[in-house]
Amino acid sequence: MNDEAGRTCPIRYRYGAGALARAQTMDAEILYVIGGLYGNLPALNAIEAMARAESGPVTLCFNGDFNWFNVDDQSFGEINRRVLAHQAIVGNVEAELGVAGSEDGCGCAYPESVDEAVVQRSNRIHARLKATAARFPEILDALASMPMYARYRVGDCRIGVVHGDADSLSGWLFDASEMDRPAARPWLAKVFDQAQVDVFASTHTCLAAMRKIRLGRDNAVVVNNGAAGMPNFDSGTFGIITRISARPGPHRPCYGTQVRGVHVEALPVEYDQSKWRLDFLRNWPEGSDAHQSYFDRISNGTRSALSNAVGDVDDPQPEG
């Protein structure tokens, strides 16, 4: 494993926002975008129950990193079989499972702000998951055939589903702190124009955010669900998924907005926390890499306030 493993973005991850404009459009009445399940079976149970409670057909799109903590054979097989029964795109975790060697580690492309010890633990977590995945060649074949992005239409709203950002599978430019930088505004205008979408739905950065982007007379939205299988905020231990539909649903959102008359909402995923802690500790006891990096968050939430998840980006102008 090289010294940059876990820090760099492999060239094969880069597709460019224009690729989404050329992608086949799939129609959905109610779209759930589910990123960062991280092998949490109780969260998957809760999400499927949420979908059953809807009054119309629900399209479940898993936008990557549905694997992570599920390093035992039983949960690895179950997570992947159930997810692959729905629509899904690949995340960096899945993209690296079938790659020979470990040059890119976990493929996360962590920014410099992330401590090196965290990066190295992530690389070791992924190496352990990769050893499990090697015992499931049929699942590896299915993961290798998955796309890096998807395009949907809900009502009059066009949605680009990605794992990272508009240009790259492991890009971080849909992180809230990145989108809030004035220097990011021309890029945001450019990628919405290139992709020809009204909404980008992403995950990857592991913290939830929604930013309304004013583009002339129109509004667009970037919605990053953060993590479906881990807490996102300093209050509560629920995950977050993105729901997009022309009509409101039975579940009360944490926050939301409308684009072209379509509701874009962050829904809480209230999974069985006690069972999930037990499942996690069976694979990752105290002192293990995942325990050091994630157990406090799993048990107590993050340091991020829910109120910080929502914001506006005013009238960015495209470059050149």
Side-chain angles (χ1 to χ4, degrees):
M1 189 176 294
N2 68 50
D3 291 340
E4 293 298 312
R7 292 282 190 189
T8 58
C9 177
I11 292 175
R12 68 183 186 277
Y13 283 8
R14 300 172 188 175
Y15 41 80
L20 280 94
R22 302 186 293 271
Q24 178 186 0
T25 300
M26 296 173 281
D27 289 316
E29 185 173 328
I30 304 166
L31 177 64
Y32 280 12
V33 183
I34 305 154
L37 185 66
Y38 296 121
N40 184 336
L41 276 166
L44 181 56
N45 293 339
I47 292 162
E48 290 178 339
M50 291 166 67
R52 289 193 296 270
E54 296 275 359
S55 60
V58 182
T59 299
L60 273 62
C61 177
F62 292 82
N63 59 327
D65 289 5
F66 39 92
N67 294 287
W68 193 232
F69 301 124
N70 51 323
V71 293
D72 63 286
D73 284 11
Q74 189 277 329
S75 63
F76 183 85
E78 185 173 353
I79 284 283
N80 284 280
R81 282 189 289 268
R82 288 171 63 180
V83 166
L84 294 173
H86 301 283
Q87 295 176 19
I89 66 171
V90 70
N92 56 279
V93 170
E94 290 78 31
E96 293 302 314
L97 287 178
V99 175
S102 56
E103 181 179 353
D104 296 311
C106 61
C108 295
Y110 282 115
E112 292 182 5
S113 58
V114 177
D115 186 79
E116 181 63 19
V118 173
V119 178
Q120 294 306 318
R121 288 197 293 268
S122 289
N123 289 337
R124 292 193 295 268
I125 291 167
H126 194 275
R128 187 173 167 192
L129 181 69
K130 194 171 185 175
T132 301
R135 296 191 285 274
F136 294 84
E138 72 289 354
I139 290 176
L140 285 178
D141 287 345
L143 296 178
S145 68
M146 287 169 52
M148 293 187 185
Y149 48 82
R151 183 182 181 90
Y152 291 90
R153 181 173 51 235
V154 176
D156 292 329
C157 186
R158 303 162 300 172
I159 301 110
V161 177
V162 296
H163 178 71
D165 63 31
D167 288 325
S168 169
L169 183 147
S170 61
W172 284 75
L173 295 181
F174 285 158
D175 178 74
S177 63
E178 289 292 332
M179 290 189 286
D180 290 342
R181 293 171 56 243
R185 294 174 184 178
W187 178 82
L188 287 165
K190 180 182 72 172
V191 295
F192 272 102
D193 179 63
Q194 291 177 334
Q196 292 295 291
V197 297
D198 307 296
V199 173
F200 275 111
S202 73
T203 181
H204 185 56
T205 67
C206 212
L207 287 176
M210 176 180 284
R211 291 296 183 269
K212 291 181 283 184
I213 319 293
R214 185 173 298 280
L215 300 173
R217 296 182 179 180
D218 297 322
N219 287 324
V221 167
V222 175
V223 56
N224 181 337
N225 83 293
M230 282 198 296
N232 291 265
F233 305 116
D234 59 4
S235 55
T237 54
F238 52 86
I240 292 286
I241 63 172
T242 298
R243 179 189 186 273
I244 304 174
S245 180
R247 62 177 186 271
H251 311 294
R252 183 176 180 180
C254 293
Y255 48 84
T257 189
Q258 291 190 41
V259 182
R260 292 183 178 266
V262 169
H263 298 268
V264 181
E265 300 171 325
L267 298 188
V269 180
E270 299 280 5
Y271 50 82
D272 185 334
Q273 170 73 345
S274 296
K275 184 174 190 314
W276 172 232
R277 280 167 54 99
L278 290 173
D279 290 349
F280 178 89
L281 288 169
R282 273 194 289 270
N283 283 321
W284 302 102
E286 186 173 356
S288 65
D289 287 314
H291 194 284
Q292 290 181 64
S293 286
Y294 295 102
F295 192 66
D296 181 66
R297 174 174 178 164
I298 288 169
S299 301
N300 303 308
T302 73
R303 295 184 179 89
S304 180
L306 190 152
S307 59
N308 293 333
V310 181
D312 295 338
V313 177
D314 291 329
D315 203 11
Q317 296 299 314
E319 295 171 321

